[in-house]
Amino acid sequence: MSGEHVPLGGQRVDELVTRWANTTPSAEAIVCGVERITYGELGRLVDAQAGRLQSAGLGDGGLVAVVLDNPVAALAAMLGVLRAGGAYLPLDPALPREELHRVLADVDPCVVLTRELYRVAVGDRPHRRVVCVDAEAGPTDEGGTQPHAHDAQNAPSVRGATACVLLTAGTTGSPKLVPVSHHDLAMARSAWQQVFGFDDRDRHLHTAPPESAEFTANWVRALGSGGTLVLLHGDEPHDPGARGAALRRLIADEEATVLACGVPSARLLTVQGPPQRTRLRLVTVTGDVWYLDEQRALKKALGDDVRVVNAYTVTEAFGAGTYFELPERDLPSEHGSEPVSLIGVPLPDTYLTVRGPVPGARGPIVLNGVQTGDDGRVREDGLLEFLGRQGTHASAERALHGHPDVHAGLVAEVETKDPRDIKVVAYAVSVEGRRVDPVDVHRHVCRALPGDAQPHAVVPVPSLPRTRADKVDRKNLPLPVDAGTALSSKGGIVRGPASPERATGCMSVGVLVLAAFFALLAWLFTDLLWPYSTDVSAVPSPHAEYFRVLYFCENVSFGAGMAFLLVGRPGMARAGHTGWFTTVAHLSAVWLLVAWWPQDNFYRLTAKTDWPAQAALVYTFNVSLMIAAAVVAAFAAVTPKWRRQLGR
């Protein structure tokens, strides 16, 4: 039976899966490791879960937290919740205990569906109903009593047409809860069906974990069209090379026709190449930014018969999104000097707008009225170009990708041991068979960026940390300074046994030595340049001593200014201002320190009625010192643009 015979609109997706279970019960529905489940078996599993949840007190619209690591059990639970009339919230059981408790406290679900292994982790509140899928079904599935009817009616619920509540990945901020309606699921499935032409002959291979929004999208696409859903088993290897080999094996052994994966999996498939035997007809890539040259490389590796699509959506606008499929001919963008990521045109029933100041300008991407948190622009050819996540260093990351030795990379802020000292660091993964030269890569990136957007250093890493959803995990990046690595001012990294405390102590001693040296020079040269300017032989005591202290302070100030001239700029550069502003502020601070020595000596030897000389001194010193003070005040008070963006 072809999927085109099944109505697309006006039907809940879980009811559509039930229809397939009734019409094609022997067709394969799910494959995961050694597990092979038909649509008929899936229907019975779903009915069992629905009955168990209703016995536990799940009422119409009640929210169920699904805390399961096995993808088959999680999928059966999700469909069981929908069959019972509830809404599901998938959560990763590997979440830190405090985070899991916080989310459960925020939503206060009617029931938590989990395994015995996680019962203690999710049962932090005595009133919370916990149902374990690996326990024998009983009248309550809970250590307490059977819930009364009024308990179910008063249970916390998500009323209306809500099908699920999804937790965003939180890779660049705090995770958020996003409700998704049955209408959203049905419209998303209809849009994907129109663009990609799924039917019951397709075998969908997906790499997303159960708690992700991609997992829900994937089962809706596959099971809603009567196809087979091939899932990665939880024991699949995490090493990139082994993961790529496992992916290639599944593509061949399970005769997958559709692959939905993240950018890292797409890069692995590009490097390792497809298996010799493949029935792939479509590959959709989503998650992180994916550049046009990478999309073209995967298309070349897979062959002309495979559609390669860069898909774009966000959890906050589930089902709404855009897609870009490579045309047969090269685009002019592919021959530019800067990498480009095209996410194409809207899916059916998606309203797209870019809120830039003028048409074609950069602005926030909005899907169906939902702010995505990303920036883009609509080009003259009508294609949407992705310009990066708001609050990240997207321009620097594009420049980083443009280096021939860089396979993958990102740019982020890291804190040193001093929380006030924040550095912008580029992390670079080398192309296989090559080595990243930090200094060369840093120069390459800086040539493409203004001073305030340039990273402080480039750090080579073997791989980037990833979440279970195959997205870059910016919260778990290595901290080079705290790991015993000092970031150099030239973009490389300098490794050594010296601790940060010892380096700081040596620097302080060096600055004091420089200041003392130049203060001594000032004291020696004062009488040579301005004879008798410091002569206090005619001044009565104790005022003579006051003047000697003043002259000493002038010499010390001059010495400190000269030392700051030689070593002070790197510290000011960490504030993140543009290069020219940092230089002007640096010289202004130096002038504020060194000017006292020549100024007072000139004033002491100039007659009070020598008005031309007095005016020259005022404009040379007094006015310049006021300007210098204003520059230093502005430098301290103004927040760099990139820090303002990160603070939004």
Side-chain angles (χ1 to χ4, degrees):
M1 175 183 291
S2 173
E4 63 188 12
H5 298 301
V6 181
L8 295 179
Q11 191 169 28
R12 289 166 43 135
V13 177
D14 59 300
E15 293 175 349
L16 201 56
V17 178
T18 302
R19 175 173 294 192
W20 286 111
N22 293 332
T23 56
T24 59
S26 60
E28 211 167 43
I30 303 174
V31 175
C32 182
V34 298
E35 291 186 87
R36 294 183 178 271
I37 299 174
T38 65
Y39 271 95
E41 293 168 338
L42 178 62
R44 289 188 287 274
L45 284 174
V46 171
D47 286 340
Q49 291 292 1
R52 177 177 286 189
L53 289 167
Q54 288 171 338
S55 298
L58 178 64
D60 180 32
L63 182 63
V64 178
V66 177
V67 190
L68 293 167
D69 48 9
N70 182 282
V72 176
L75 179 53
M78 294 172 189
L79 289 168
V81 172
L82 298 180
R83 177 72 58 83
Y88 67 83
L89 166 63
L91 294 173
D92 180 8
L95 275 175
R97 187 71 60 90
E98 297 78 11
E99 178 69 9
L100 184 61
H101 288 174
R102 183 191 66 78
V103 175
L104 290 174
D106 287 345
V107 298
D108 199 12
C110 177
V111 181
V112 177
L113 202 57
T114 187
R115 294 170 53 198
E116 284 287 352
L117 178 64
Y118 305 118
R119 178 190 285 272
V120 175
V122 301
D124 59 308
R125 296 195 176 185
H127 74 276
R128 182 172 293 150
R129 296 188 180 95
V130 178
V131 175
C132 295
V133 298
D134 52 352
E136 291 188 10
T140 63
D141 265 341
E142 180 66 33
T145 60
Q146 174 71 24
H148 298 290
H150 72 271
D151 292 331
Q153 292 174 357
N154 295 330
S157 64
V158 180
R159 291 291 174 185
T162 301
C164 56
V165 178
L166 301 175
L167 188 67
T168 61
T171 52
T172 57
S174 299
K176 295 180 291 186
L177 293 166
V178 178
V180 178
S181 68
H182 283 282
H183 176 75
D184 293 332
L185 295 182
M187 293 301 293
R189 187 234 166 213
S190 176
W192 296 327
Q193 184 85 9
Q194 293 178 57
V195 174
F196 303 127
F198 300 129
D199 62 28
D200 57 348
R201 295 165 295 184
D202 277 318
R203 298 178 66 83
H204 301 249
L205 172 57
H206 298 298
T207 62
E211 70 274 6
S212 66
E214 289 83 359
F215 186 88
T216 291
N218 293 338
W219 76 251
V220 167
R221 295 203 293 192
L223 302 182
S225 59
T228 302
L229 182 61
V230 182
L231 299 170
L232 289 179
H233 195 270
D235 296 331
E236 291 291 344
H238 297 287
D239 174 73
R243 184 179 175 85
L247 188 63
R248 295 173 73 250
R249 175 180 53 79
L250 280 175
I251 292 172
D253 293 349
E254 299 301 334
E255 298 184 326
T257 61
V258 177
L259 170 64
C261 65
V263 172
S265 296
R267 288 171 176 159
L268 286 172
L269 196 58
T270 302
V271 173
Q272 297 184 0
Q276 293 181 349
R277 296 181 297 107
T278 176
R279 291 182 55 210
L280 278 178
R281 69 173 184 88
L282 171 68
V283 176
T284 61
V285 181
T286 189
D288 299 324
V289 58
W290 199 37
Y291 294 101
L292 195 55
D293 61 315
E294 296 180 297
Q295 190 174 359
R296 179 68 69 185
L298 181 58
K299 175 74 172 179
K300 183 178 180 180
L302 295 175
D304 294 335
D305 295 335
V306 183
R307 299 174 65 183
V308 177
V309 176
N310 188 8
Y312 169 76
T313 187
V314 292
T315 305
E316 293 87 342
F318 185 92
T322 67
Y323 69 101
F324 173 72
E325 185 172 357
L326 281 170
E328 294 183 1
R329 58 181 178 81
D330 287 359
L331 293 168
S333 308
E334 297 182 64
H335 307 292
S337 59
E338 186 178 67
V340 174
S341 176
L342 295 181
I343 50 179
V345 295
L347 289 166
D349 300 310
T350 291
Y351 174 71
L352 164 72
T353 182
V354 175
R355 295 180 178 171
V358 294
R362 181 190 187 113
I365 300 174
V366 181
L367 299 177
N368 287 356
V370 176
Q371 292 272 4
T372 64
D374 297 321
D375 281 344
R377 71 180 184 96
V378 178
R379 309 186 327 164
E380 293 181 358
D381 56 9
L383 296 174
L384 178 62
E385 180 181 350
F386 181 76
L387 296 178
R389 187 76 177 167
Q390 294 170 2
T392 63
H393 300 269
S395 298
E397 289 177 357
R398 282 198 303 274
L400 186 65
H401 179 78
H403 193 280
D405 293 337
V406 176
H407 172 66
L410 64 84
V411 179
E413 287 185 294
V414 298
E415 290 185 358
T416 64
K417 288 201 171 183
D418 182 356
R420 297 168 297 179
D421 185 12
I422 298 176
K423 297 182 185 295
V424 179
V425 177
Y427 295 87
V429 180
S430 64
V431 172
E432 189 173 358
R434 299 186 185 178
R435 184 183 67 86
V436 168
D437 181 348
V439 175
D440 182 60
V441 174
H442 187 261
R443 289 172 180 166
H444 169 84
V445 172
C446 290
R447 280 196 295 266
L449 299 172
D452 61 342
Q454 294 174 359
H456 183 272
V458 172
V459 178
V461 291
S463 62
L464 299 176
R466 295 279 171 181
T467 65
R468 277 169 40 97
D470 220 9
K471 297 179 180 179
V472 173
D473 188 358
R474 294 176 180 270
K475 295 179 180 178
N476 287 314
L477 290 166
L479 301 179
V481 174
D482 288 349
T485 304
L487 296 172
S488 77
S489 60
K490 296 184 179 180
I493 54 173
V494 179
R495 302 183 184 276
S499 66
E501 290 83 357
R502 182 177 177 183
T504 302
C506 293
M507 176 64 74
S508 300
V509 172
V511 170
L512 290 175
V513 170
L514 282 175
F517 173 73
F518 284 108
L520 179 62
L521 287 182
W523 177 70
L524 293 175
F525 277 87
T526 297
D527 287 336
L528 293 177
L529 297 175
W530 299 281
Y532 305 109
S533 66
T534 57
D535 182 13
V536 293
S537 57
V539 179
S541 182
H543 301 290
E545 299 303 322
Y546 296 158
F547 281 113
R548 290 192 179 96
V549 171
L550 175 63
Y551 302 154
F552 173 79
C553 292
E554 289 176 354
N555 293 333
V556 170
S557 178
F558 178 81
M562 293 301 297
F564 190 70
L565 174 65
L566 296 177
V567 301
R569 195 183 187 286
M572 296 185 71
R574 286 196 290 268
H577 289 289
T578 57
W580 68 266
F581 190 18
T582 301
T583 299
V584 172
H586 176 222
L587 295 178
S588 297
V590 171
W591 183 241
L592 286 170
L593 289 168
V594 304
W596 293 103
W597 178 60
Q599 178 193 33
D600 276 6
N601 283 295
F602 275 123
Y603 269 117
R604 284 191 286 268
L605 296 178
T606 302
K608 293 183 178 180
T609 56
D610 188 351
W611 305 119
Q614 289 286 348
L617 290 175
V618 166
Y619 280 94
T620 300
F621 291 103
N622 297 43
V623 173
S624 65
L625 287 170
M626 288 186 283
I627 295 173
V631 171
V632 172
F635 184 87
V638 175
T639 303
K641 181 180 178 181
W642 64 270
R643 286 189 187 273
R644 292 198 304 271
Q645 291 174 340
L646 287 171
R648 285 203 291 263

